[in-house]
Amino acid sequence: MNLRRVMLDVDKARARPDMIEIAAAIEASPGVQAVNITVKEIDVETVGMEVTVVGEHIDYDALITAINDTGAVVHSTDEMVAGTHIVEHVPRAR
Amino acid sequence: MNLRRVMLDVDKARARPDMIEIAAAIEASPGVQAVNITVKEIDVETVGMEVTVVGEHIDYDALITAINDTGAVVHSTDEMVAGTHIVEHVPRAR
Amino acid sequence: MNLRRVMLDVDKARARPDMIEIAAAIEASPGVQAVNITVKEIDVETVGMEVTVVGEHIDYDALITAINDTGAVVHSTDEMVAGTHIVEHVPRAR
Amino acid sequence: MNLRRVMLDVDKARARPDMIEIAAAIEASPGVQAVNITVKEIDVETVGMEVTVVGEHIDYDALITAINDTGAVVHSTDEMVAGTHIVEHVPRAR
Amino acid sequence: MNLRRVMLDVDKARARPDMIEIAAAIEASPGVQAVNITVKEIDVETVGMEVTVVGEHIDYDALITAINDTGAVVHSTDEMVAGTHIVEHVPRAR
Amino acid sequence: MNLRRVMLDVDKARARPDMIEIAAAIEASPGVQAVNITVKEIDVETVGMEVTVVGEHIDYDALITAINDTGAVVHSTDEMVAGTHIVEHVPRAR
Amino acid sequence: MNLRRVMLDVDKARARPDMIEIAAAIEASPGVQAVNITVKEIDVETVGMEVTVVGEHIDYDALITAINDTGAVVHSTDEMVAGTHIVEHVPRAR
């Protein structure tokens, strides 16, 4: 299966790791071409981020491991896109 | 009939199957080119997903079977697109 | 007249016909190139759908007949587009 | 003057004329290339439609006459676009 | 100065002039290429319109005179665009 | 530094200067290619405008001086874009 | 790691530094191609800005230092994009 895009909900402690460490770890993960880390919430202790990862044949397990190894925590996987091209989610009409 | 896009409402138990299993099963289904699995709700027990599948001559019954065989449940079919090209739903003006 | 796009409000019973039967019937109708069937409501008894049909010289009467013959019911026609190309509805500024 | 687009508010009785009659009458009117008839309201007696007509050197008076001759009623003209190309309305910032 | 686009708030009495007279007067004004007249309000007495005029080296004074000569009234100028190309207004982030 | 776009909040008295004077003054300012003046508020005394100026190597001080010399008042600078190309503001996800 | 875009929350005192100083400092920072400084809030004392920086191999630490050296304060980093191309944040469907 050609995994092309993954969206993850990731938390980190305010101090460490830095976002740049997480970005570097993800970018270096097998099959990853590019990553967008967007901060959604900043609390006293933690920073909540939405991470969008694109690539070709992304190694999902390696990606999760790479993020966890930085000290950040993958909360959930919000989207997966696989196949010949990236298909966008079409909002339901209901 | 050339079925080109199908949108499904699919639920799975939190533990199994993994989203990646469902993505792989769908991608391997006859006529499928690409799939977007987007998480809509996460409850204590279940994960609600909206699945957008595109391809050429998608085998609808095989697709439903492939998803059910992973242990996920197809709740409903929300959209079907067939013909020479993908036609988007145009919201009514009423 | 070159009828190029028709939008219909169509209901069906929950059990029959299947959406795929309706899609096939529409796609096979004279002048039809592609169809989008989008589910708007699902009640205990019925499923409400918005059907967008595009083509060249669509045979309107044959289209309505084809849908009704599947057992679904055409509630209303919401849009018609005719001529050299598809013109989108421009929302009024009033 | 090169009238290129006209938007009209048109009502018809529920029974007659059919939308397809109105579409045909408009499409055949001098200078018309294409037409979009979008239903905005359906009451017990009448159907309210927003009609978008595009073309080159549209004959405005002939267009109004053609619509009225079908038995429909032109309520108002909501937009006119003339000149070398179609200019869209830009919403005011005030 | 190369005036390329002007947006005007224009009122007219319900009866006269016709929108088509105003469109013709504007289109014939020096430097005008195209015009969009969009109806914003229709009261008992008057019709409020938003007029978008595009061209090259539009003669602003001649444009205002042309509109007033039809019997319509230019209420205000809402936008002016000048220079080598049309620059859109970018909504403030504040 | 290659200043490419500047957005300014500018006020003027209702009577003078005319918008066309301000547009001309800005267009003639060093490095300016095009300008959009959009009216945001019209009070009894003043007219509030949002001015979007694009160019190459815009001379910021000369631009402010040119506007003030017309008798209008630069209230604030709302955006600056510099570099090899125009980068749009991306709204925060927080 | 190829850092391609960074979004920062930056505050400055109303008087100094000028936005143009901050823009120049950022544009001159290693790896930066272009910058958008957008004012979000203006209080009695301070101006709150959202700064979008794009480039190739942006030197993150040098960028932060360059901004702080102008006398402005980097409040937080809101987004980082790294890799072969700029990936936009896709809003969650949950």
Side-chain angles (χ1 to χ4, degrees), chain C residues 5-74:
Chain C
R5 187 169 78 192
V6 183
M7 285 204 266
L8 306 167
D9 220 65
V10 177
D11 282 358
K12 77 177 190 77
R14 289 253 341 229
R16 301 217 67 73
D18 289 333
M19 270 172 75
I20 206 151
E21 284 173 64
I22 302 170
I26 291 172
E27 200 212 25
S29 189
V32 172
Q33 294 173 333
V35 53
N36 175 308
I37 302 177
T38 290
V39 173
K40 281 292 282 187
E41 287 114 34
I42 300 184
D43 301 329
V44 177
E45 299 285 330
T46 61
V47 176
M49 300 166 288
E50 290 181 359
V51 177
T52 306
V53 182
V54 299
E56 286 247 8
H57 298 288
I58 298 170
D59 181 332
Y60 178 71
D61 294 331
L63 175 63
I64 303 302
T65 305
I67 296 171
N68 290 332
D69 285 355
T70 67
V73 176
V74 178

Side-chain angles (χ1 to χ4, degrees), chain B:
Chain B
M1 181 177 76
N2 187 344
L3 187 57
R4 289 180 172 271
R5 188 169 78 194
V6 184
M7 284 204 265
L8 306 167
D9 221 64
V10 177
D11 282 357
K12 77 176 190 76
R14 289 241 1 215
R16 302 217 66 74
D18 289 332
M19 269 172 76
I20 206 151
E21 284 173 65
I22 302 171
I26 292 172
E27 200 212 24
S29 190
V32 171
Q33 294 172 334
V35 53
N36 175 308
I37 302 178
T38 290
V39 174
K40 281 292 281 187
E41 288 113 33
I42 301 184
D43 301 330
V44 177
E45 299 286 329
T46 61
V47 177
M49 299 167 288
E50 289 181 359
V51 176
T52 306
V53 181
V54 299
E56 286 247 7
H57 297 290
I58 298 171
D59 180 332
Y60 178 71
D61 294 331
L63 174 63
I64 303 302
T65 305
I67 295 171
N68 290 332
D69 285 354
T70 67
V73 176
V74 177
H75 245 270
S76 68
T77 300
D78 290 321
E79 189 210 59
M80 274 194 183
V81 182
T84 57
H85 58 286
I86 289 185
V87 174
E88 296 300 337
H89 167 241
V90 179
R92 290 315 176 255
R94 279 195 288 143

Side-chain angles (χ1 to χ4, degrees), chain D residues 1-3 5 60 76-94, chain E residues 5 7-9 19-20 23-24 27 33-39 42 50-52 54 76 78 89:
Chain D
M1 179 178 74
N2 188 344
L3 186 58
R5 188 170 78 191
Y60 178 71
S76 68
T77 300
D78 289 320
E79 189 209 58
M80 274 193 183
V81 181
T84 58
H85 59 286
I86 288 184
V87 173
E88 296 299 337
H89 168 241
V90 179
R92 291 315 178 253
R94 281 195 285 145
Chain E
R5 187 169 79 193
M7 284 203 266
L8 306 167
D9 221 66
M19 270 172 76
I20 205 150
E27 200 212 25
Q33 293 173 333
V35 52
N36 175 307
I37 302 177
T38 291
V39 173
I42 301 185
E50 289 180 359
V51 177
T52 306
V54 300
S76 69
D78 289 321
H89 167 241

Side-chain angles (χ1 to χ4, degrees), chain G:
Chain G
M1 179 178 74
N2 189 344
L3 186 59
R4 288 181 174 272
R5 187 169 79 193
V6 183
M7 285 204 264
L8 306 167
D9 221 64
V10 177
D11 281 358
K12 79 174 189 76
R14 290 244 354 220
R16 302 218 65 75
D18 289 331
M19 269 171 75
I20 206 152
E21 285 173 65
I22 302 171
I26 292 172
E27 199 212 26
S29 191
V32 171
Q33 294 172 332
V35 53
N36 175 309
I37 302 178
T38 290
V39 173
K40 282 291 282 184
E41 289 114 32
I42 300 184
D43 301 330
V44 178
E45 299 286 330
T46 60
V47 176
M49 300 166 288
E50 290 180 358
V51 177
T52 306
V53 181
V54 298
E56 285 246 10
H57 297 288
I58 296 171
D59 181 332
Y60 178 70
D61 294 332
L63 174 63
I64 303 302
T65 306
I67 295 171
N68 290 332
D69 285 355
T70 67
V73 176
V74 178
H75 245 268
S76 68
T77 300
D78 289 321
E79 188 209 59
M80 274 195 182
V81 181
T84 57
H85 59 287
I86 289 185
V87 172
E88 295 300 337
H89 167 242
V90 179
R92 290 316 176 253
R94 283 195 286 144

